[in-house]
Amino acid sequence: MQLPSALLEQAVNEFSKLPGIGKKTALRLVLHLLKQEPEKVEAFGEAIVRMRNETHFCQRCFNISDSLLCTICANPMRRQDTVCVVETIRDVIAIESTQQFNGTYHVLGGIISPLDGIGPDQLHIEPLLKRAAGGAITEIIFALNPTIQGDTTIYYIQKKLQPSHIRITTIARGIAFGGELEYADEMTLARSLQHRMPVEQLKV
Amino acid sequence: MQLPSALLEQAVNEFSKLPGIGKKTALRLVLHLLKQEPEKVEAFGEAIVRMRNETHFCQRCFNISDSLLCTICANPMRRQDTVCVVETIRDVIAIESTQQFNGTYHVLGGIISPLDGIGPDQLHIEPLLKRAAGGAITEIIFALNPTIQGDTTIYYIQKKLQPSHIRITTIARGIAFGGELEYADEMTLARSLQHRMPVEQLKV
């Protein structure tokens, strides 16, 4: 694609570095910005740069934060004794949007995946163990994606936590609401049979 | 969607103002940027702001340009006597990528569309008429989308150009290469019959 302006081309190149954005989409976005008021485009550029430069990771849970502690850790209404362990910030946002969890989080920053060269040391596992050793935590809920790597990560951390009186749980696995048995994989179906639950619990 | 950081939220909001980008995609893009080096994110922001602030419209053809004349108008190898009239910069890029056109362009900035409140005065029609009156143009090729508004625009400009010795043409209309007759609309099919052409012209 030949572009008539070097500056335009540079902006298109920058946009097309983003995941899922090809050259054509990038051009569409850039031409859209070209039609906006200069102040609006400046606000756009500034918001992105500030977001990168001025956000931190929460000292306690590694969630993204504007200050030392994230809004969840700093909230006295949230239970500090219940910690939900997740892989990414995106998972925090997903769980928060259910409005069903009133504890705090711990963002690992990934899962143990030797094939991708990610071992325990690359993750925020050590700070989690320290938090647990502090004695204020009564339950750790693992909310990792149900894959072999996810299970390995849970197993590894659980081992490290022993001996301890902390209750260690994982989110329920089974057939998703609205899902169809016919299309469920064998592993999921087998586990959902194995962990069958009393019908009374279905009440919403 | 509740986000744990106001700065993150602002960046997500800015991204989701772009066409075709929803909140979830915006979050994915922003979290991607968050993982990049600060310098890279600054380069991204700067490229966008510079593109908006430092590009101009070409004085002659209203294509986007880094200087007073765009690279096409300023190129002595391009025929200044043949002008291709298009709706947007995107159309210039599309025609340029065919590498079949060696003339210059004139970007109208839209087409006459009374329903959207766009009349001839909102478009760069007057400058086109002035270019034509200059006497250096021998052919004007309309490359507008084949719609009622496109045809109206051609008709309007053609009227304004009379009397003149300039040859006025439009890009061929018919069944697209690889298209299927079965799915062509009646108007296209009727026109393609009406403007049937000698088989010899099919040679590529």
Side-chain angles (χ1 to χ4, degrees):
Chain A
M1 195 160 55
Q2 271 239 316
L3 295 181
S5 147
L7 292 166
L8 186 75
E9 196 158 352
Q10 213 170 335
V12 169
N13 283 341
E14 287 292 340
F15 260 108
S16 58
K17 284 179 195 166
L18 297 175
I21 306 265
K23 286 264 171 181
K24 284 213 167 179
T25 307
L27 179 65
R28 194 162 51 89
L29 299 178
V30 168
L31 290 179
H32 171 85
L33 286 174
L34 196 63
K35 279 191 282 182
Q36 307 305 307
E37 298 294 315
E39 301 80 49
K40 287 200 176 162
V41 177
E42 258 161 50
F44 179 79
E46 203 185 288
I48 292 161
V49 173
R50 279 195 66 193
M51 180 273 302
R52 179 65 191 83
N53 288 344
E54 297 177 30
T55 56
H56 319 269
F57 288 113
C58 171
Q59 277 190 332
R60 193 180 292 162
C61 76
F62 299 93
N63 189 5
I64 192 171
S65 172
D66 295 344
S67 44
L68 290 179
L69 279 187
C70 75
T71 48
I72 296 170
C73 283
N75 184 348
M77 306 291 286
R78 308 284 300 226
R79 296 187 62 153
Q80 306 286 338
D81 60 356
T82 310
V83 174
C84 181
V85 177
V86 294
E87 192 179 327
T88 66
I89 294 162
R90 209 128 87 220
D91 299 326
V92 172
I93 295 166
I95 295 174
E96 281 299 286
S97 68
T98 68
Q99 302 189 322
Q100 291 295 313
F101 181 64
N102 195 33
T104 52
Y105 293 91
H106 192 89
V107 181
L108 292 179
I111 45 176
I112 297 172
S113 175
L115 283 179
D116 302 315
I118 301 173
D121 295 343
Q122 271 95 59
L123 305 174
H124 304 131
I125 291 178
E126 205 50 48
L128 174 63
L129 300 177
K130 266 189 203 146
R131 281 179 79 179
I137 297 176
T138 56
E139 181 172 1
I140 291 181
I141 306 168
F142 284 98
L144 303 183
N145 292 323
T147 59
I148 299 291
Q149 289 92 333
D151 287 357
T152 306
T153 309
I154 293 177
Y155 184 73
Y156 177 88
I157 298 176
Q158 188 201 21
K159 277 284 223 181
K160 289 274 180 185
L161 284 168
Q162 300 302 345
S164 110
H165 59 281
I166 297 174
R167 188 176 171 222
I168 300 175
T169 57
T170 170
I171 50 168
R173 291 158 186 204
I175 307 293
F177 189 76
E180 295 184 46
L181 288 201
E182 194 181 338
Y183 301 117
D185 64 294
E186 291 158 28
M187 187 92 156
T188 301
L189 204 49
R191 280 197 179 180
S192 75
L193 271 172
Q194 201 179 332
H195 301 293
R196 60 192 177 279
M197 55 192 217
V199 171
E200 295 86 58
Q201 289 183 20
L202 277 187
K203 282 181 294 196
V204 186
Chain B
M1 195 160 54
Q2 271 239 316
L3 295 180
S5 147
L7 292 167
L8 186 76
E9 194 158 354
Q10 212 170 335
V12 169
N13 283 341
E14 287 292 340
F15 260 107
S16 59
K17 284 179 194 164
L18 296 175
I21 307 265
K23 286 264 170 178
K24 283 213 168 181
T25 308
L27 179 64
R28 194 162 51 88
L29 299 178
V30 168
L31 290 180
H32 170 84
L33 286 174
L34 196 64
K35 279 191 283 183
Q36 306 305 308
E37 298 294 315
E39 301 80 49
K40 287 199 176 161
V41 177
E42 257 161 50
F44 178 81
E46 203 185 287
I48 291 161
V49 173
R50 279 194 66 192
M51 180 274 302
R52 179 64 190 86
N53 288 344
E54 297 177 30
T55 56
H56 318 269
F57 288 114
C58 171
Q59 277 190 333
R60 194 180 290 163
C61 76
F62 298 93
N63 189 5
I64 191 172
S65 172
D66 295 344
S67 43
L68 289 178
L69 279 187
C70 75
T71 50
I72 296 170
C73 284
N75 184 347
M77 305 291 286
R78 307 285 300 226
R79 296 189 62 155
Q80 305 288 337
D81 59 355
T82 309
V83 174
C84 180
V85 177
V86 295
E87 192 179 327
T88 66
I89 294 161
R90 209 127 89 219
D91 299 327
V92 172
I93 295 166
I95 295 174
E96 281 299 287
S97 68
T98 69
Q99 303 190 321
Q100 292 295 312
F101 182 65
N102 194 32
T104 51
Y105 292 92
H106 192 89
V107 182
L108 292 179
I111 44 175
I112 297 172
S113 175
L115 282 179
D116 301 314
I118 301 174
D121 295 342
Q122 270 94 58
L123 306 173
H124 304 131
I125 292 178
E126 206 50 47
L128 174 62
L129 300 177
K130 267 191 201 145
R131 280 178 81 179
I137 296 176
T138 56
E139 181 172 1
I140 291 180
I141 306 168
F142 283 98
L144 302 184
N145 291 324
T147 59
I148 299 291
Q149 290 92 332
D151 288 357
T152 306
T153 309
I154 294 177
Y155 184 74
Y156 177 88
I157 298 176
Q158 188 200 23
K159 276 284 221 180
K160 287 275 182 184
L161 283 167
Q162 302 302 345
S164 112
H165 58 282
I166 298 174
R167 192 178 168 219
I168 299 174
T169 57
T170 171
I171 50 168
R173 291 159 186 203
I175 306 293
F177 188 76
E180 296 185 45
L181 289 200
E182 193 181 341
Y183 300 116
D185 64 295
E186 291 158 28
M187 186 91 157
T188 300
L189 204 50
R191 279 196 179 180
S192 74
L193 270 172
Q194 201 180 334
H195 301 293
R196 61 191 177 278
M197 56 190 218
V199 170
E200 295 85 58
Q201 289 183 19
L202 278 188
K203 283 181 293 199
V204 186

